[in-house]
């Protein structure tokens, strides 16, 4: 049974940092591209950052470029998102996505080829 579980969400002040983690079980982790998505109430889930199966290729959506860093540990089947200089508009529920070997732009923008989702972890950035 595949399991995808996020952790690390918290309440943080603007300008602060958080590191999100995503643990996966029941799948061959490095067979998949991975991504982080964010959703706020009443809005569609949107891509934040995606990473290739090897970790050599990454993609960041414009609002987080230069502030967030995506990485993965294929030995321990984990995905990470280091978030720095957080702003109130970064608030939301962050979801880990397990995707097939598609172009990162397709995954992050169109949610194309996503096989599994986690249940999300809540990030709240106070001003």
């Amino acid at each position: 049974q595949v399991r995808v579980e996020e952790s690390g969400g918290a309440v943080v002040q603007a300008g602060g940092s958080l590191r999100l983690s995503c643990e996966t079980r029941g799948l061959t982790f490095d067979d998949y591209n991975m991504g982080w998505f964010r959703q706020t109430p009443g809005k569609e889930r949107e891509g934040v950052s995606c990473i290739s199966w090897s970790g050599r290729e990454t993609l960041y959506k414009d609002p987080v470029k230069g502030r967030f860093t995506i990485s993965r540990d294929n030995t321990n089947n984990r995905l990470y998102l280091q978030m720095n200089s957080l702003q109130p508009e970064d608030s939301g529920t962050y979801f880990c996505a397990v995707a097939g070997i598609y172009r990162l732009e397709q995954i992050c923008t169109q949610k194309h080829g996503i096989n599994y989702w986690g249940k999300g972890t809540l990030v709240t950035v106070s001003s």
Side-chain angles (χ1 to χ4, degrees):
Q1 184 178 357
V2 174
R3 178 177 170 182
V4 181
E5 186 170 355
E6 305 90 341
S7 62
V11 178
V12 63
Q13 287 191 332
S17 297
L18 280 176
R19 189 191 195 202
L20 304 184
S21 296
C22 172
E23 180 182 7
T24 67
R25 295 182 183 178
L27 53 79
T28 303
F29 188 64
D30 57 6
D31 278 353
Y32 297 91
N33 290 345
M34 300 289 295
W36 286 101
F37 290 74
R38 175 172 67 206
Q39 190 169 20
T40 54
K43 293 190 175 181
E44 188 175 348
R45 193 174 298 185
E46 59 182 6
V48 173
S49 181
C50 291
I51 189 168
S52 64
W53 65 272
S54 66
R56 286 193 289 267
E57 185 182 355
T58 59
L59 180 147
Y60 298 93
K61 303 305 281 184
D62 285 346
V64 307
K65 282 182 179 177
R67 300 188 297 122
F68 289 12
T69 303
I70 190 170
S71 61
R72 62 189 296 161
D73 179 348
N74 285 352
T75 300
N76 293 302
N77 299 337
R78 285 183 178 266
L79 177 72
Y80 300 101
L81 186 68
Q82 177 67 42
M83 306 188 295
N84 297 329
S85 301
L86 283 162
Q87 299 301 318
E89 52 266 33
D90 295 319
S91 298
T93 300
Y94 283 71
F95 296 88
C96 175
V98 181
I101 306 302
Y102 298 100
R103 288 172 50 223
L104 297 186
E105 183 65 32
Q106 289 180 296
I107 298 169
C108 251
T109 302
Q110 302 166 20
K111 296 191 285 290
H112 179 74
I114 294 175
N115 301 107
Y116 307 103
W117 291 97
K119 293 183 178 180
T121 186
L122 181 62
V123 172
T124 303
V125 184
S126 62
S127 58

